[in-house]
C-alpha cells in the first residue's frame, strides 16, 4: 500500500520551543526525503537539537521532511524540485539507491549539497554528494579480517541478494590464500522458505558461515537456521548486517552457537538513548503509526537513523564554520529544476563537509581525501549466554582488529549448551525403563516408546530445551568391556563413538563404565538382590500330632506317667483301706486283695491320661489324693495339647529354600544366574569376597544359566527352579506384577542408574541434573541442601 506521511515543523513551533530570542538568526531550510517515518523524525529532531546545541550561533536549520514510498523515483524527483524551489540549502536522503540517483543528479546540476546515509554500492570517489555510510568495501574488510582472525579455513557465505554479496566481496579474495570460499544464495522466491536451501547447506557439513543477508530476511533466516538445527554449538556465524543487534537474539543465545556481529552505534550511549527517547516522544505526541510498536528502545534503533542525525549535525557544524570563517552569511536561493541555474555556495558546503570531522552517534565522522567515510570504529559483538557482549573493536583506517574477548566461563556451561539441539537418545527395550507402546494404531517416531526413561528424557527436554530422537539398542546390551579386544560394546560403545548423544535405560553406573563415558547424577538408587519364587506351605507330616509339644515335654510326660503309676502302686500297698475282702460273704477271709497291682496302677494312670477313666477306684485317702493331683496335671496337659494342635493345624508353615546369597551359593538344588555382561554379573566378577567369588565361578561354569535380558531371567524363575540375581528396582517392578515371585534377602550393594554421554564433550555438567522419584524424596532434599543438583524431576509414581 502506498504510504505517505508528510511532516513539517513550522517556524512558529521552533520559535516557541526555542524560547524568546532577540538575535537575528540566519534561517537555512533543509529538505529531507525519506521512506521511513523514523528517519524523518530523527531528521527533524537532529535539526532541532543542532539549533539548540549552539545557542550563540546565528544559524538555524528549518527541516522540511517528506516521506515517500521507497522505490518511488518520480516522487523523489518532484519532491526534490519542490524543495529546491523553496530554497533549501541541503538535501538529505532518500534511502533508496534508485531514487537517490535521481536526487543526486539534480543536486549535482544545481550544486546543492546532497547528504546520503544509506549503503551505496555505486558511490564513486569524488562524487559531489556526501555519504556518511561506511563504504561497503571498507566494511567488507572488517568481515575479511574477522574470518582471518578466526582462522577459518573454509568459509561459506550465505547471502540473499547481490548487494549483500557485494558487501562481503573482499572475502572472496581468500580463495587466493589457499582457503576455500563457497557462496550460497538463499532463493527468496519461495515465499520466505529458506529451509530447503539451509538443509542442503547443512548437509555439506560446513560449520563456519558468513551470513550476508538484508534486514528484510535476516530475522526469518536466523529462525529457520534454528529450525533446521544449525543453531547449535558446533556452528559459527559472522553476521555482516550492522543492524542485527536490533533483532531479538535471545532465542539463539543459549545454544552455544558462535555468533559474531558488528555494530556502529552503541545503544547504551547517552546520546543514542536520547535520540531514541525523543523519537518515542515525538511519535507519541503525533500518534504516528510506524511498523514498530510505539515504544522505541535504543537497541531497536537502526544505525541509519543515527546516521541521519549525524548528517544533520555535520551539516550544521559545517555551515557554522563557514559563516564564522567567511565572516559573511551564506544565503540559499530558490532554484527551479527547469532552469539552468545553480547555487554557487553549494559545492563549498559539500567540500567543507568532506574535510570536517565531528563526533556523532556513529562515532567519529571523517572522510578521506576522496570523500569516503574513513577512520570509523566498529564494535565486535558476540552472542553469549547473557546476550550480546562486546569482544573487540575494528578500525577502518588502520585495519586493526582488536579482540579482547573475555575468558569464557565454564560455570554456567552445560544446561544451556544443549538448548535447541536434537539429541539422539539410545534406549533398550527393558521393562519398565523403555517399552514399546501397546496400541492398536500405528505409531511413529518417539511415540513408539513409553516407560520410565522415556518420561525422564521428555521431562528433561522440557526443562533444558532440547529435542530428541530415540533409537533402540537392538541387542539390549548396556555395555561390557571386552578385556581381550579392549573394546566396549552395547550402548556404551554407541555413545563413545558418537552415534548416540545420550544413553538411558537401567544403565548402572560402574567405575569401569565411568572410564569410558560421563554419567549424570544417578536418577535411581538400587542394589543387587535375588528374585525367586515365593516360599510354599510345607505338606502335613505323619507325626504332625506331636508338634504341639516339644520332645522334652513328651519325655517328661512319659516319665511322670511311670512315676505316678509307681507312687499309686506303693501307696496302694501301704494304705490298709486298699486291702479288700475278695469274698464279701465270708466274714473272716483267709486273705485280702489289693486292686493297685503294678499292672492296674499303670492302667489306672493311663486311663486318666487318656481321659477315658477305668473301673479302678482309689479307696484310701492317699491314693485318692495322688489320683486327684494326677488328674489335675492331665487336665492341664490335655487342654494345652488340644489348643496347640488346633493352632498348628491352622497355621501354614512356609518353607524358604534359602534366606540369602550365602545359602543360595552353598546349595546345589536351586540353579541361579544373572544377566550376561550386566553390572550384576560383573559385581561378582570383581568382588574379592570368597562367597561372591564362589557365585562368580558358578556363573562361569554354568553359562547356560546366564540370560540375555531381565525378562528372560524372570521367565526362568517362574518356570524352573531358578534364582535370578538382579537389581532391586527391577525386582520391585517384577514382584508387583508376578504374584508368585518375591525378593529374597536384602541388598548386596548400593549403586544407581544414570544417563551416559560421551566423555569430555559433556555439555551437561553431570552434577547439574538430578532426577529423583518421589519415594526418594529424602534423597532430593539432601541433594538440594548440599547443592549437588540444579535440576530435579520428581515423578509421582
Ligand atoms: N543394570 C545392569 C547394567 O547396567 C543390567 C542388569 C543387571 O546386570 O542386573 O548392566
Amino acid at each position: 500500500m502506498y504510504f505517505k506521511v508528510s511532516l513539517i515543523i513550522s517556524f512558529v513551533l521552533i520559535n516557541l520551543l526555542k524560547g524568546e530570542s532577540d538575535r537575528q538568526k540566519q534561517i537555512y531550510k533543509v529538505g529531507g526525503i525519506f521512506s521511513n517515518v523514523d528517519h524523518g523524525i530523527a531528521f527533524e529532531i537532529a535539526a532541532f537539537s543542532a539549533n539548540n546545541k549552539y545557542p550563540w550561533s546565528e544559524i538555524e536549520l528549518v527541516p522540511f521532511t517528506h516521506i515517500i514510498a521507497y522505490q518511488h523515483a518520480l516522487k523523489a524527483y518532484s519532491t526534490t524540485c519542490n524543495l529546491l524551489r523553496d530554497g533549501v540549502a541541503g538535501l538529505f536522503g532518500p534511502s533508496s539507491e534508485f531514487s537517490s540517483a535521481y536526487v543526486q543528479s539534480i543536486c549535482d546540476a544545481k550544486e546543492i549539497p546532497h547528504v546520503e546515509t544509506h549503503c551505496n554500492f555505486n558511490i564513486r570517489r569524488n562524487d559531489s554528494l556526501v555519504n556518511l555510510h561506511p563504504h561497503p568495501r571498507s566494511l567488507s574488510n572488517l568481515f575479511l579480517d574477522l574470518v582471518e582472525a578466526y582462522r577459518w579455513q573454509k568459509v561459506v557465505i550465505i547471502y540473499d541478494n547481490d548487494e549483500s554479496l557485494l558487501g562481503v566481496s573482499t572475502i572472496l579474495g581468500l580463495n587466493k590464500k589457499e582457503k576455500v570460499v563457497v557462496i550460497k544464495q538463499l532463493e527468496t522466491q519461495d515465499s520466505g522458505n529458506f529451509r530447503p536451501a539451509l538443509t542442503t547447506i547443512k548437509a555439506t557439513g560446513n560449520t563456519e558461515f558468513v551470513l550476508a543477508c538484508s534486514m528484510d530476511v535476516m530475522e526469518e533466516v536466523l529462525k529457520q537456521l534454528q529450525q533446521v538445527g544449525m543453531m547449535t554449538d558446533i556452528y559459527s556465524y559472522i553476521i555482516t548486517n550492522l543492524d542485527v543487534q536490533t533483532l531479538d537474539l535471545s532465542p539463539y543465545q543459549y545454544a552455544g552457537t558462535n555468533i559474531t556481529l558488528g555494530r556502529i552505534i552503541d545503544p547504551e550511549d547517552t546520546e543514542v538513548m536520547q535520540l531514541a527517547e525523543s523519537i518515542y516522544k515525538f511519535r507519541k505526541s503525533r500518534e504516528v503509526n510506524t511498523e514498530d510498536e510505539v515504544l522505541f528502545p535504543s537497541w531497536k534503533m537502526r544505525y541509519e537513523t543515527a546516521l541521519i542525525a549525524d548528517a544533520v549535525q555535520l551539516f550544521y557544524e559545517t555551515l557554522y564554520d563557514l559563516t564564522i570563517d567567511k565572516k559573511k552569511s551564506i544565503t540559499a536561493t530558490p532554484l527551479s529544476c527547469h532552469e539552468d541555474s545553480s547555487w554557487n555556495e553549494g559545492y563549498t558546503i559539500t567540500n567543507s563537509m568532506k574535510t570536517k570531522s565531528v563526533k556523532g552517534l556513529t562515532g567519529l565522522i571523517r572522510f578521506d581525501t576522496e570523500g569516503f567515510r574513513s577512520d570509523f570504529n566498529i564494535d565486535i559483538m558476540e552472542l553469549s549466554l547473557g546476550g550480546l557482549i562486546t569482544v573487540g573493536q575494528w578500525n577502518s583506517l588502520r585495519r586493526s582488529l582488536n579482540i579482547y574477548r573475555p575468558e569464557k566461563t565454564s560455570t554456567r556451561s552445560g544446561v544451556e549448551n544443549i538448548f535447541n539441539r536434537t539429541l539422539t537418545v539410545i534406549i533398550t527395550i527393558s521393562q519398565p525403563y523403555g517399552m514399546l507402546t501397546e496400541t492398536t494404531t500405528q505409531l511413529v517416531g518417539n511415540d513408539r516408546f513409553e516407560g520410565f526413561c522415556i518420561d525422564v528424557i521428555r521431562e528433561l527436554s522440557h526443562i533444558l530445551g532440547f529435542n530428541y530422537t530415540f533409537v533402540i539398542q537392538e541387542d539390549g546390551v548396556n555395555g561390557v568391556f571386552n578385556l581381550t579386544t579392549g573394546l566396549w560394546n552395547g550402548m556404551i560403545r554407541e555413545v563413545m563413538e558418537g552415534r548416540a548423544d545420550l544413553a538411558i535405560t537401567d544403565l548402572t553406573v560402574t567405575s569401569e563404565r565411568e572410564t569410558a563415558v560421563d554419567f549424570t547424577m544417578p536418577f535411581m538408587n538400587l542394589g543387587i538382590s535375588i528374585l525367586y519364587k515365593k516360599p510354599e506351605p510345607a505338606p502335613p507330616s505323619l507325626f504332625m500330632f506331636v508338634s504341639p509339644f516339644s520332645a522334652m515335654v513328651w519325655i517328661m510326660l512319659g516319665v511322670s506317667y511311670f512315676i505316678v503309676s509307681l507312687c499309686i502302686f506303693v501307696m496302694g500297698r501301704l494304705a490298709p483301706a486298699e486291702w479288700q475282702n475278695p469274698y464279701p460273704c465270708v466274714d473272716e477271709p483267709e486273705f485280702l486283695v489289693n486292686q493297685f497291682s503294678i499292672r492296674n496302677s499303670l492302667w489306672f494312670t493311663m486311663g486318666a491320661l487318656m481321659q477315658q477313666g477305668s473301673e479302678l477306684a482309689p479307696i484310701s485317702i492317699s491314693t485318692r489324693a495322688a489320683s486327684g493331683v494326677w488328674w489335675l496335671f492331665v487336665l492341664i496337659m490335655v487342654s494345652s495339647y488340644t489348643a496347640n494342635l488346633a493352632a498348628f493345624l491352622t497355621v501354614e508353615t512356609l518353607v524358604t529354600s534359602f534366606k540369602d546369597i550365602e545359602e543360595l551359593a552353598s546349595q546345589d538344588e536351586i540353579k541361579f544366574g544373572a544377566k550376561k555382561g550386566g553390572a550384576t554379573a560383573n559385581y561378582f566378577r570383581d568382588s574379592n569376597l570368597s562367597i561372591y567369588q564362589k557365585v562368580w565361578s558358578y556363573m562361569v561354569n554354568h553359562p547356560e544359566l546366564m540370560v540375555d535380558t531381565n525378562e528372560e531371567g524372570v521367565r526362568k524363575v517362574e518356570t524352573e527352579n531358578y534364582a535370578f540375581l538382579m537389581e532391586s528396582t527391577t525386582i520391585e517392578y517384577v514382584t508387583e506384577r508376578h504374584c508368585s515371585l518375591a525378593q529374597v534377602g536384602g541388598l548386596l550393594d548400593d549403586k544407581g542408574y544414570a544417563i551416559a554421554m560421551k566423555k569430555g564433550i559433556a555439555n551437561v555438567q553431570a552434577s547439574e541434573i538430578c532426577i529423583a522419584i518421589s519415594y526418594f524424596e529424602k534423597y532430593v532434599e539432601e541433594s538440594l541442601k548440599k547443592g549437588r543438583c540444579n535440576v530435579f524431576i520428581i515423578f509421582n509414581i
Side-chain angles (χ1 to χ4, degrees):
M1 194 181 82
Y2 188 77
F3 172 62
K4 178 189 173 184
V5 179
S6 180
L7 301 166
I8 299 173
I9 296 198
S10 68
F11 291 179
V12 180
L13 178 62
I14 289 176
N15 282 332
L16 274 176
L17 289 166
K18 284 182 59 149
E20 290 167 34
S21 171
D22 316 320
R23 197 170 301 153
Q24 190 59 43
K25 294 263 185 183
Q26 176 72 46
I27 303 291
Y28 290 98
K29 297 176 191 169
V30 280
I33 305 173
F34 306 105
S35 35
N36 182 312
V37 178
D38 285 336
H39 292 174
I41 297 172
F43 177 64
E44 297 194 4
I45 290 170
F48 175 69
S49 25
N51 292 340
N52 277 345
K53 197 169 171 187
Y54 309 99
W56 58 88
S57 161
E58 291 175 1
I59 295 169
E60 180 156 319
L61 297 184
V62 178
F64 285 77
T65 313
H66 292 264
I67 307 294
I68 63 165
Y70 187 73
Q71 291 288 23
H72 207 323
L74 266 180
K75 187 73 190 165
Y77 177 83
S78 62
T79 310
T80 308
C81 289
N82 290 342
L83 286 167
L84 293 186
R85 210 173 29 243
D86 288 342
V88 290
L91 236 149
F92 295 75
S95 299
S96 148
E97 200 167 321
F98 186 58
S99 311
S100 180
Y102 278 83
V103 176
Q104 197 206 330
S105 67
I106 303 170
C107 290
D108 268 357
K110 301 291 164 192
E111 296 182 30
I112 293 290
H114 178 209
V115 188
E116 272 185 349
T117 50
H118 68 273
C119 183
N120 190 344
F121 288 89
N122 297 323
I123 186 173
R124 289 174 307 274
R125 297 188 175 276
N126 294 323
D127 267 355
S128 61
L129 66 85
V130 178
N131 190 329
L132 271 76
H133 194 287
H135 193 275
R137 196 173 171 81
S138 191
L139 272 181
S140 170
N141 287 333
L142 156 67
F143 304 117
L144 171 67
D145 291 350
L146 272 173
V147 168
E148 290 196 320
Y150 289 172
R151 295 201 182 90
W152 288 1
Q153 293 306 313
K154 183 170 183 184
V155 191
V156 180
I157 301 173
I158 302 175
Y159 71 102
D160 62 333
N161 58 36
D162 296 348
E163 283 188 1
S164 301
L165 184 60
L166 279 174
V168 289
S169 55
T170 52
I171 297 179
L172 298 173
L174 279 175
N175 270 330
K176 291 181 204 130
K177 295 190 185 173
E178 290 179 0
K179 293 191 179 169
V180 184
V181 182
V182 180
I183 56 170
K184 298 269 180 198
Q185 185 168 15
L186 295 177
E187 299 296 340
T188 48
Q189 301 96 316
D190 205 3
S191 63
N193 180 11
F194 310 115
R195 291 177 201 91
L198 294 176
T199 313
T200 318
I201 294 170
K202 187 184 176 191
T204 61
N206 295 309
T207 54
E208 283 152 357
F209 301 97
V210 170
L211 197 58
C213 294
S214 62
M215 285 305 282
D216 300 340
V217 296
M218 183 62 83
E219 193 166 7
E220 202 51 43
V221 170
L222 290 174
K223 206 191 288 174
Q224 294 184 17
L225 276 169
Q226 191 178 40
Q227 287 166 355
V228 299
M230 287 176 74
M231 273 295 178
T232 63
D233 56 356
I234 60 165
Y235 292 98
S236 302
Y237 297 91
I238 293 174
I239 305 181
T240 62
N241 200 305
L242 298 184
D243 270 330
V244 172
Q245 63 162 344
T246 63
L247 298 179
D248 176 14
L249 298 175
S250 58
Y252 319 109
Q253 74 192 35
Y254 303 107
T257 322
N258 302 309
I259 297 179
T260 307
L261 45 104
R263 74 169 186 200
I264 196 165
I265 54 166
D266 177 3
E268 280 162 25
D269 179 272
T270 331
E271 289 182 26
V272 174
M273 289 200 284
Q274 274 168 7
L275 177 62
E277 198 184 326
S278 306
I279 293 175
Y280 170 60
K281 284 184 183 156
F282 195 97
R283 279 182 188 178
K284 247 182 126 179
S285 64
R286 301 285 172 103
E287 289 180 351
V288 175
N289 292 321
T290 61
E291 285 145 29
D292 282 326
E293 72 269 36
V294 174
L295 186 67
F296 193 66
S298 56
W299 65 268
K300 278 204 149 197
M301 188 163 79
R302 293 199 178 176
Y303 70 94
E304 198 179 337
T305 313
L307 282 176
I308 289 168
D310 284 352
V312 175
Q313 188 193 342
L314 176 68
F315 186 82
Y316 186 97
E317 290 191 18
T318 309
L319 266 184
Y320 177 75
D321 286 355
L322 282 174
T323 48
I324 297 250
D325 287 352
K326 289 191 165 185
K327 305 238 179 344
K328 66 159 185 131
S329 63
I330 296 171
T331 321
T333 47
L335 299 166
S336 162
C337 283
H338 309 294
E339 287 170 15
D340 198 13
S341 54
S342 60
W343 185 35
N344 295 339
E345 316 272 8
Y347 274 152
T348 314
I349 299 174
T350 309
N351 291 334
S352 302
M353 281 175 80
K354 286 184 182 173
T355 54
K356 188 157 178 56
S357 60
V358 295
K359 168 89 184 59
L361 303 180
T362 56
L364 185 68
I365 301 159
R366 181 185 283 171
F367 298 88
D368 61 16
T369 47
E370 291 159 313
F372 284 6
R373 188 165 171 184
S374 75
D375 205 5
F376 60 90
N377 289 327
I378 301 281
D379 288 339
I380 310 301
M381 314 293 296
E382 274 186 5
L383 192 59
S384 70
L385 296 173
L388 280 174
I389 51 162
T390 312
V391 295
Q393 202 174 50
W394 180 80
N395 181 273
S396 64
L397 189 65
R398 297 187 298 277
R399 283 281 302 269
S400 60
L401 176 66
N402 294 323
I403 300 283
Y404 43 83
R405 179 190 292 107
E407 280 301 306
K408 280 194 176 165
T409 48
S410 58
T411 46
R412 291 198 57 209
S413 68
V415 176
E416 288 88 345
N417 280 350
I418 54 170
F419 181 83
N420 242 338
R421 278 183 59 186
T422 301
L423 304 180
T424 306
V425 182
I426 192 157
I427 55 166
T428 57
I429 298 299
S430 165
Q431 288 178 357
Y433 309 100
M435 301 177 284
L436 291 172
T437 312
E438 285 179 15
T439 170
T440 48
T441 51
Q442 194 183 357
L443 300 174
V444 286
N446 294 342
D447 292 344
R448 288 173 296 155
F449 309 107
E450 63 181 5
F452 183 87
C453 295
I454 310 298
D455 294 348
V456 168
I457 293 294
R458 191 184 46 238
E459 293 302 318
L460 269 184
S461 77
H462 289 162
I463 294 171
L464 302 178
F466 63 86
N467 304 316
Y468 57 93
T469 311
F470 285 120
V471 290
I472 306 178
Q473 176 69 31
E474 295 293 349
D475 58 9
V477 177
N478 290 4
V480 195
F481 182 65
N482 187 323
L483 290 166
T484 326
T485 60
L487 291 174
W488 283 89
N489 68 359
M491 297 168 102
I492 298 287
R493 181 153 181 185
E494 295 300 298
V495 169
M496 284 173 79
E497 294 184 357
R499 285 188 288 276
D501 298 302
L502 302 178
I504 186 167
T505 183
D506 55 336
L507 185 62
T508 313
V509 181
T510 63
S511 52
E512 196 179 34
R513 286 176 182 163
E514 288 261 30
T515 61
V517 289
D518 273 348
F519 282 102
T520 59
M521 287 289 285
F523 57 81
M524 220 185 239
N525 284 2
L526 53 114
I528 297 174
S529 197
I530 309 165
L531 180 75
Y532 190 59
K533 287 193 196 74
K534 269 189 184 155
E536 284 169 5
S541 86
L542 191 59
F543 295 100
M544 175 82 177
F545 64 91
V546 294
S547 45
F549 291 150
S550 64
M552 187 51 83
V553 174
W554 285 119
I555 291 168
M556 295 318 286
L557 186 64
V559 172
S560 327
Y561 164 71
F562 283 110
I563 291 174
V564 171
S565 305
L566 195 65
C567 287
I568 288 180
F569 167 69
V570 174
M571 281 176 195
R573 292 282 138 179
L574 296 178
E578 290 297 338
W579 292 99
Q580 295 287 315
N581 179 0
Y583 310 110
C585 316
V586 181
D587 288 339
E588 296 273 327
E590 284 176 19
F591 59 94
L592 295 173
V593 291
N594 192 321
Q595 60 177 339
F596 284 115
S597 63
I598 194 79
R599 274 195 325 187
N600 281 356
S601 299
L602 286 169
W603 181 245
F604 172 74
T605 40
M606 179 54 76
L609 189 60
M610 295 299 152
Q611 296 196 307
Q612 298 305 314
S614 62
E615 284 182 5
L616 299 167
I619 300 162
S620 69
I621 292 175
S622 57
T623 49
R624 282 186 179 175
S627 304
V629 172
W630 174 242
W631 288 343
L632 180 67
F633 170 75
V634 164
L635 177 75
I636 293 165
M637 289 306 286
V638 168
S639 312
S640 309
Y641 176 83
T642 318
N644 274 354
L645 187 65
F648 266 72
L649 289 176
T650 46
V651 172
E652 267 185 355
T653 324
L654 299 179
V655 196
T656 42
S657 318
F658 60 93
K659 283 200 305 296
D660 49 31
I661 187 78
E662 278 88 2
E663 285 188 16
L664 180 66
S666 10
Q667 53 79 55
D668 294 328
E669 203 186 321
I670 305 165
K671 296 174 210 135
F672 60 87
K675 185 178 168 182
K676 252 181 239 165
T680 303
N682 289 348
Y683 173 77
F684 293 103
R685 183 195 63 188
D686 300 335
S687 174
N688 294 329
L689 289 178
S690 59
I691 190 73
Y692 293 167
Q693 275 304 306
K694 194 174 169 187
V695 173
W696 173 241
S697 57
Y698 180 88
M699 289 178 179
V700 173
N701 294 333
H702 297 87
E704 76 285 358
L705 298 178
M706 301 299 277
V707 295
D708 287 324
T709 60
N710 282 342
E711 284 75 18
E712 194 185 330
V714 173
R715 244 189 331 272
K716 251 175 130 51
V717 176
E718 276 186 317
T719 53
E720 297 171 26
N721 191 13
Y722 178 81
F724 187 44
L725 292 158
M726 75 190 301
E727 288 160 335
S728 57
T729 38
T730 321
I731 291 184
E732 226 172 284
Y733 175 80
V734 168
T735 51
E736 287 292 320
R737 283 153 185 84
H738 299 254
C739 304
S740 59
L741 306 184
Q743 175 178 334
V744 181
L747 305 187
L748 307 188
D749 63 348
D750 181 14
K751 52 198 177 187
Y753 294 150
I755 305 172
M757 63 194 79
K758 196 170 175 176
K759 211 165 179 61
I761 67 140
N763 291 321
V764 178
Q765 292 284 312
S767 60
E768 290 194 19
I769 300 180
C770 291
I771 307 152
I773 46 179
S774 63
Y775 50 78
F776 287 132
E777 230 163 84
K778 221 174 108 212
Y779 163 76
V780 175
E781 271 169 30
E782 221 173 78
S783 301
L784 271 176
K785 254 188 245 153
K786 291 184 184 164
R788 278 210 302 248
C789 316
N790 293 347
V791 183
F792 274 103
I793 304 170
I794 301 178
F795 289 90
N796 291 310
I797 55 170

